[in-house]
Amino acid sequence: MNEIKIILVDDHDIVRDGLKVLLMNLSDIKVIGEVSTGFELFNLLQNIKPDIILMDISLPKMSGIVITKTISLEYPACKVIMLTASVNEKSVSESFKAGALGYLPKNIRQDELLDAIREVHKGNRYIAKSISDDVMNKYLSKNKSEALGQPKVEGELTKRELEIIELFAEGYNYKEVAERLSISYNTVETHKKNIFEKLEINSIVELVKYAIKHGIISV
């Protein structure tokens, strides 16, 4: 039987030590490396290639979400299981969007941790049983809405951001948007940057397309 090779990524020694204890002496699983930051992980990945990375979601300087996005692009054969001390619908959504296949709380039992590792190694998604139905229902409902092309508004775009989207889409420039909303030019620029990040777009043209598609403006 081939061993499932694992790298541990957590900035707390005690957490990594605890995971190693849970995973030691198993015939099909082997910890081949451990690091405390994303920078250390990418250095390590130049020399060794794990099957699975157990990734702390909250890391200094570079979050587990950001690291996972990069891994999905540059090391697609490496599967990521996200570990978190705080479970919520937003982190579930962001983890899977980033490319993670697993999502577990840090107080996971050994038997479920092993189940998660083995399932993710097969290419299956795994979400801890202890995560509440309410959190999962919100995540699944949100993803269903996005799949149907409904706008990502609630919980993401503020009322002010929607106003700015509408004005940009109608052809107003930065100065005109600022004047109509009685805010500064710099505030408009900040809102625009946040909107682009939330909608994952890079230009006003894409913003106009989004506004038309989701009925923010009519044509």
Side-chain angles (χ1 to χ4, degrees):
M1 177 184 297
N2 293 330
E3 291 178 320
I4 302 173
K5 299 183 291 294
I6 291 178
I7 288 179
L8 308 177
V9 186
D10 198 290
D11 59 326
H12 294 98
D13 293 345
I14 192 170
V15 174
R16 298 198 308 274
D17 290 343
L19 288 169
K20 283 187 290 186
V21 169
L22 292 177
L23 299 174
M24 66 189 304
N25 301 323
L26 296 170
S27 61
D28 63 333
I29 295 174
K30 181 180 181 181
V31 176
I32 62 171
E34 57 175 293
V35 295
S36 59
T37 69
F39 299 107
E40 293 174 356
L41 174 62
F42 290 122
N43 285 335
L44 189 60
L45 289 175
Q46 293 179 23
N47 300 310
I48 60 176
K49 297 297 183 289
D51 299 302
I52 290 177
I53 298 172
L54 292 181
M55 178 80 68
D56 182 11
I57 199 170
S58 300
L59 291 167
K61 298 183 179 179
M62 189 186 306
S63 73
I65 299 292
V66 173
I67 296 169
T68 299
K69 287 180 180 178
T70 303
I71 289 171
S72 297
L73 294 173
E74 298 186 8
Y75 304 96
C78 297
K79 301 176 176 69
V80 175
I81 296 176
M82 203 68 77
L83 295 173
T84 177
S86 178
V87 175
N88 58 72
E89 183 265 338
K90 181 179 179 181
S91 65
V92 171
S93 176
E94 290 183 346
S95 294
F96 288 121
K97 283 182 179 179
L101 283 182
Y103 187 94
L104 306 172
K106 285 189 174 181
N107 61 354
I108 193 78
R109 292 171 55 90
Q110 181 188 35
D111 57 347
E112 189 171 8
L113 174 62
L114 300 182
D115 286 343
I117 290 172
R118 289 161 182 155
E119 283 300 307
V120 168
H121 185 245
K122 297 175 186 176
N124 300 323
R125 179 176 290 181
Y126 192 99
I127 303 172
K129 298 180 178 69
S130 61
I131 295 178
S132 70
D133 290 340
D134 181 57
V135 168
M136 282 313 304
N137 286 338
K138 286 181 180 178
Y139 168 71
L140 294 172
S141 175
K142 179 178 178 181
N143 277 268
K144 181 179 179 181
S145 295
E146 291 179 6
L148 293 173
Q150 297 178 11
K152 300 189 290 183
V153 173
E154 186 176 357
E156 294 194 24
L157 293 173
T158 66
K159 180 180 178 181
R160 177 65 82 194
E161 287 168 347
L162 286 170
E163 291 173 339
I164 288 173
I165 289 174
E166 181 177 0
L167 291 173
F168 273 132
E170 289 178 352
Y172 292 97
N173 60 34
Y174 285 88
K175 182 180 178 181
E176 292 168 335
V177 171
E179 290 175 348
R180 290 181 68 87
L181 297 179
S182 299
I183 57 179
S184 71
Y185 183 101
N186 289 338
T187 299
V188 174
E189 175 65 31
T190 299
H191 279 306
K192 189 213 74 171
K193 179 180 177 182
N194 292 336
I195 291 167
F196 278 22
E197 290 179 353
K198 289 180 179 182
L199 300 182
E200 299 177 354
I201 60 177
N202 299 298
S203 69
I204 294 296
V205 172
E206 290 180 79
L207 188 63
V208 172
K209 290 180 180 178
Y210 176 91
I212 294 172
K213 179 179 180 181
H214 296 298
I216 296 175
I217 64 169
S218 58
V219 293

